[in-house]
Structures are given as C-alpha cells and as structure tokens.
C-alpha cells in the first residue's frame, strides 16, 4: 500500500497558544483514516495544514508527494475538503453550487448523480439559506467530492445529521473509498470511527497518543468499546 | 464562460440591493430633481448653469460611491465571515477570483449607472452631455478606482457583513456631503469647499464638472483621486484577510 499522506512532527501555534505540538502519521492509498480527539485537541488545525489553509510552524507535510502550500494548485485539484464551518452564499442554489464547484476541476463528477447519492435530488433550486442543517452538511460533502478527488478530507462528517442520513452518508463514504479514494475523517463520534475507520490517530493536547486499528486501540486501553478506550487514553492526569 | 463570474452576477442581481441602490436610486433622484422647475433656473452662483446641470456629475459620483461603499463591502466581508472565501481556498479556483468577479460586477454596474444617468439627463431633461468627454471618462474612471479602493479597505477592516454595512455607511455619508449632494461645492463656504476638494468625492465631482463644462479636468483633482486610489488600495491589501 503506497503512502498518500505523510505528516512528520507537525507543529502549529497561534500566538502563544500551541494548537498542534507534535503530530506525525501516514495515510495509505485507499484507507479510511480517522483523526480522533477532544475539542481543541488540534484535529482541525491538523487538517487545515493538510489542506494548505495554514502555514505550519514546524515539521513537514506531504500530500501525494507534494507540499500543500508550495504546490497549492496541484494539491487542491486532487484533494476534496469538507470544512467544519464553511458556509455558502445565502442565495446560491444547490444546483448552482454543484455546477460552480464542478467548474473548478478538470474532470468533475456528474453533479446530478452526486446530489442523488446524497439525497438532495429535487432540491436543486433551493437557496443555501433555506436548507436544513442536515441538507447543508450533505451539500458540503457533495462539494468535497465533486472534483473526483484522490483524497477526501472530511471534518465532522455527520454532525447535524439524523440517524438515517448518517447511515446513508457512511454507506456513501464506503462506496467512495471502494472507488479508490483515500479518506481522512475528523470526528469525535465513536460509532462513526468504529464503523468506518481502518486506522485511527488519537490526538490529545496537540500530540498523537495512539495510532492503529480500532481493535489495537481497544487492546491498548484495555477497554471493550471505542468510547471507553477513547476516554481512558485521553483522560487528563491532573 | 467563467462560471464563477456568472454565478456571482446572478447572486448580485438576485440580491437586488446592488442594482436598486447603485442604479435605481440615483436615477430616481435625477427624475425627482428634473421635475422641479427650480432646478432648471440658470443661476449666477453656478456660472450661469442650472442646478440640474450641476447635479448630474454629483449623481454620477453618488452612484459610484453607493456601489463601492454600500454594496461591495458587505458582500466581501460577509463572504469572509461565512467562510465562503476560506472554502474556496481549498479549491483550484481560489478566493482571488471571487474578488475579481466582484470588482468586474462593480465596474459593469458603474458603467450602466453612469450611462443611464447621462442618457436620462440628456433625453428626458435636456442636460447637455459632458463637452470634454474623454476628460469626463478619465475622471469617472479615477473616481471609480479611488472609491472601490476605499470599499475594499472597508471590506478588509470590517469583521463581518453587518459591520461592513455600518462602516461603509459611516464613510459614505460624509463623502457624499463633501461631494455636494446636499449643497453643491460651488455654493459651499470657501473653507468647506477647500476640505471638499481634498476628499475623493469632492475631487471627483470637481473633475467631472470641469469636463462637463468643456475643460480638461484640473490636474490637482485627478492627482487627488489617484492618491486616494493608491493609498486605499495599499491599505486594503495590507489589511485584507481571506478568513
């Protein structure tokens, strides 16, 4: 399995606050790789550095062998990103958003087909501001996939989705991976990590405390559920 | 065809406030003024011209200021606040193209507004077109640059769309006062007129009046506009953040 993402000793601070202290991991081609951790652990900053949105203060990042900052154009063509707090223009319609984002990429997916897979058919003319939280989330996932990326980075994939939509989204993610796309998933929703992830990096306080399969994580923590393992491994020793 | 620019244009038209305030309102004011007999009297304090003659360049400057300060900044600051620009940074298109599309939309709307004002004034109310037409175009273009630069500065300085609205208005009203919307510069007390000449709208209106009367705009007025354009662009570029 070839490596598509390499993060080595990533360090990032905002002023005096250290957001990411020392994070290293690699992601293989076709994996679903989970980044888990508490709020403020440094997950989002890590994926923002992967996406070339932030300049690391230390360490190196290679995405498909390239530097996300220096080779920004090249990396953005091959990496689809779903951001946690990215909104669209209020009056932009679902269909327009899909065609607009499709126009950014050399060989985009069929917007209509993607909308269908995300259960947004019939919503093409609905303005963004009129969508429900779940619909906005699904549109955001569709936009991350419309460029036929080799890697999809999804931050808080199913936040705001009801259980049915969540399961449909999981099925979609598995189907996308079956098509050869590598997926980086940021989450703190344990059932999601358990169901989808091949491997997990557990980040706490800006550092990786564990990397491995969900089963390895359980064994290491001596717990029977991922949620318990997560709590044990990220417990503050105060 | 550039899908991004077309999409932004659709949103601009759908929003309606841009066309309404940037084109509709100046035309409405022109029609109101044009229907008041008082505005058609030849006046000695205006060099024998009518008040309506004087007001056409003022309304042109008003339209430009409206677009640059009240329409453009809330859009850009709102996009930043919502994360639209940030989202675009993760695509091959990048947010700079949204900025470009918005500038083009502002420019095209300005051309529509100025053309409509001059034509309505000419054919509905008999106001002569600017006699030094090239000079008028140069003055209008420099005024657009200066005001758009200020608009970008407001968009850069404001944390969000609402704040941009407020700051834009706070800059807009003093500027249109000095541009002579309430009291033409020719009729201002000398001290006020001197301040006015140093402001972007005062300089713009002065340069446009020169051209309307058949003279090449005074170089000091053009230089003032150029200085505002340059200064505002530099300040905006230094302050502007994508997120």
């Amino acid at each position: 399995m070839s490596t598509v993402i390499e993060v080595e000793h990533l360090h990032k601070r905002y002023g005096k606050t250290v957001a990411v202290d020392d994070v290293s991991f690699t992601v293989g081609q076709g994996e679903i790789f989970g980044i888990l951790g508490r709020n403020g652990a440094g997950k989002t900053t890590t994926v923002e550095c992967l996406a070339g949105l932030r300049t690391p203060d230390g360490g190196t990042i290679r995405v498909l062998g390239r530097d996300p900052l220096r080779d920004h154009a090249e990396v953005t063509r091959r990496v689809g990103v779903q951001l946690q707090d990215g909104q669209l223009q209020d009056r932009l319609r679902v269909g327009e958003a899909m065609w607009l984002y499709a126009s950014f990429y050399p060989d985009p997916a069929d917007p209509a087909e993607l909308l269908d897979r995300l259960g947004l058919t019939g919503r093409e003319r609905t303005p963004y501001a009129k969508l429900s939280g779940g619909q906005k989330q699904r549109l955001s996932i569709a936009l991350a996939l419309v460029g036929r990326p080799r890697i999809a980075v999804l931050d808080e994939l199913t936040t705001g989705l009801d259980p049915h939509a969540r399961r449909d989204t999981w099925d979609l993610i598995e189907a996308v991976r079956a098509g050869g796309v590598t997926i980086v998933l940021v989450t703190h929703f344990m059932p999601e990590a358990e169901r989808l992830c091949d491997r997990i990096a557990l980040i706490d306080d800006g550092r990786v405390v564990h990397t491995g399969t969900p089963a390895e994580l359980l064994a290491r923590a001596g717990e029977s559920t991922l949620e318990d393992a997560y709590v044990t491994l990220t417990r503050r020793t105060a | 065809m550039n899908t991004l620019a077309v999409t932004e244009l659709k949103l601009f038209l759908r929003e309606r406030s841009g066309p309404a305030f940037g084109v509709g309102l100046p035309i409405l004011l022109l029609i109101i003024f044009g229907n008041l007999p008082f505005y058609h009297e030849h006046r000695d304090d205006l060099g024998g011209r009518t008040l309506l003659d004087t007001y056409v360049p003022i309304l042109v400057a008003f339209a430009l200021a409206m677009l640059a300060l009240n329409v453009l900044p809330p859009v850009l600051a709102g996009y930043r606040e919502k994360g639209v620009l940030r989202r675009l940074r993760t695509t091959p298109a990048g947010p700079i193209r949204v900025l470009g599309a918005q500038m083009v939309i502002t420019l095209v709307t300005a051309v529509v507004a100025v053309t409509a004002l001059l034509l309505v004034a000419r054919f509905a109310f008999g106001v002569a077109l600017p006699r030094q037409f090239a000079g008028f175009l140069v003055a209008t273009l420099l005024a657009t640059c200066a005001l758009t630069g200020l608009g970008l500065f407001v968009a850069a300085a404001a944390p969000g769309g609402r704040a941009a609205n407020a700051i834009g208005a706070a800059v807009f009203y003093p500027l249109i006062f000095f541009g002579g919307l309430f009291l033409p510069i020719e009729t201002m007390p000398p001290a006020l007129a001197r301040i006015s000449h140093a402001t972007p709208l005062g300089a713009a209106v002065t340069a446009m009046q020169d051209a309307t009367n058949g003279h090449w705009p005074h170089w000091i007025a053009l230089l003032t506009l150029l200085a505002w354009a340059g200064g505002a662009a530099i300040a905006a570029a230094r302050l502007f953040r994508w997120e």
Side-chain angles (χ1 to χ4, degrees):
Chain A
M1 187 168 61
S2 60
T3 301
V4 291
I5 297 176
E6 270 182 283
V7 177
E8 279 178 0
H9 302 298
L10 177 66
H11 184 81
K12 173 73 188 173
R13 58 180 164 258
Y14 303 113
K16 288 196 166 165
T17 315
V18 175
V20 174
D21 187 14
D22 183 1
V23 163
S24 304
F25 59 84
T26 59
V27 181
Q29 164 75 40
E31 265 193 305
I32 300 185
F33 187 83
I35 298 179
L36 269 64
R38 300 177 162 210
N39 293 330
K43 306 183 299 282
T44 293
T45 301
T46 301
V47 296
E48 283 175 344
C49 291
L50 275 183
L53 285 175
R54 306 222 177 261
T55 311
D57 293 311
T60 56
I61 299 181
R62 283 281 173 279
V63 177
L64 299 164
R66 293 170 189 276
D67 182 329
L69 284 173
R70 254 207 331 271
D71 308 317
H72 193 73
E74 198 62 31
V75 169
T76 50
R77 262 198 290 279
R78 295 183 162 84
V79 180
V81 180
Q82 180 229 335
L83 296 167
Q84 211 183 119
D85 50 3
Q87 294 182 52
L88 297 174
Q89 296 90 320
D90 282 345
R91 288 174 198 265
L92 186 64
R93 294 173 182 157
V94 169
E96 287 170 345
M98 288 298 288
W99 286 103
L100 173 62
Y101 275 69
S103 79
F104 297 159
Y105 299 93
D107 177 31
D110 176 10
E113 191 197 325
L114 207 48
L115 285 179
D116 184 42
R117 287 172 73 179
L118 281 151
L120 287 169
T121 301
R123 285 268 164 267
E124 287 86 348
R125 294 187 59 78
T126 308
Y128 181 76
K130 294 262 197 289
L131 294 175
S132 71
Q135 289 168 339
K136 285 179 182 172
Q137 184 77 359
R138 281 181 276 153
L139 176 59
S140 167
I141 297 167
L143 295 179
L145 298 175
V146 76
R148 286 189 201 278
R150 286 194 54 200
I151 301 173
V153 177
L154 307 167
D155 196 350
E156 301 288 343
L157 175 69
T158 57
T159 304
L161 296 189
D162 62 46
H164 289 286
R166 185 184 295 140
R167 268 149 217 256
D168 291 346
T169 306
W170 289 347
D171 290 342
L172 173 75
I173 295 305
E174 284 176 331
V176 168
R177 186 264 290 277
V181 178
T182 305
I183 296 181
V184 176
L185 204 65
V186 176
T187 185
H188 47 216
F189 188 53
M190 293 308 129
E192 181 164 294
E194 218 157 358
R195 156 84 190 263
L196 289 177
C197 295
D198 302 310
R199 287 192 312 129
I200 288 168
L202 190 56
I203 298 184
D204 196 32
D205 226 4
R207 290 170 163 270
V208 177
V209 294
H210 183 84
T211 316
T213 64
E216 285 167 355
L217 207 70
L218 296 180
R220 157 118 186 240
E223 302 282 0
S224 56
T225 70
L226 198 55
E227 179 131 341
D228 289 337
Y230 169 82
V231 171
T232 304
L233 291 171
T234 58
R235 185 168 286 148
R236 294 279 183 277
T237 46
Chain B
M1 203 60 170
N2 185 329
T3 312
L4 182 63
V6 172
T7 307
E8 286 298 320
L9 180 63
K10 278 189 201 163
L11 293 174
F12 175 79
L13 296 175
R14 218 171 271 165
E15 191 66 47
R16 291 205 195 95
S17 66
F21 288 110
V23 183
L25 186 59
I27 297 283
L28 183 68
L29 286 177
L30 175 66
I31 292 171
I32 294 171
F33 293 165
N35 279 293
L36 301 172
F38 170 65
Y39 276 75
H40 291 276
E41 292 168 11
H42 293 273
R43 290 171 49 153
D44 291 339
D45 61 345
L46 296 174
R49 300 162 62 230
T50 69
L51 204 49
L52 194 63
D53 293 333
T54 308
Y55 261 101
V56 172
I58 294 173
L59 288 174
V60 166
F62 171 75
L64 299 178
M66 193 58 118
L67 286 167
L69 294 167
N70 290 335
V71 177
L72 180 65
V75 173
L76 289 178
Y79 281 7
R80 184 180 51 226
E81 187 180 25
K82 283 174 177 297
V84 172
L85 302 179
R86 181 177 130 90
R87 180 66 185 83
L88 285 168
R89 282 183 70 201
T90 68
T91 72
I96 190 91
R97 283 178 48 197
V98 169
L99 199 62
Q102 284 295 331
M103 303 289 278
V104 170
I105 289 169
T106 302
L107 201 68
V108 169
T109 315
V111 170
V112 171
V114 173
T115 309
L117 279 168
L118 292 181
L119 291 181
V120 172
R122 170 68 189 82
F123 293 107
F125 304 111
V127 176
L129 291 174
R131 287 194 284 154
Q132 173 46 262
F133 205 78
F136 188 85
L137 286 183
V138 168
T140 308
L141 187 70
L142 284 178
T144 308
C145 292
L147 291 165
T148 312
L150 280 177
L152 288 175
F153 177 72
V154 171
R162 278 170 176 276
N165 241 330
I167 301 173
V171 177
F172 173 78
Y173 286 104
L175 283 189
I176 57 163
F177 172 80
F178 285 116
L181 184 71
F182 309 112
L183 185 67
I185 299 168
E186 291 91 329
T187 60
M188 283 181 185
L192 212 54
R194 263 199 296 280
I195 299 174
S196 189
H197 287 306
T199 68
L201 234 56
V205 171
T206 305
M208 289 175 192
Q209 299 285 20
D210 285 347
T212 301
N213 297 336
H215 314 293
W216 187 259
H218 199 288
W219 64 272
I220 291 181
L222 295 182
L223 214 59
T224 305
L225 288 174
L226 206 58
W228 276 102
I234 290 168
R238 281 177 164 241
L239 208 60
F240 201 86
R241 298 284 175 269
W242 295 120
E243 54 185 275

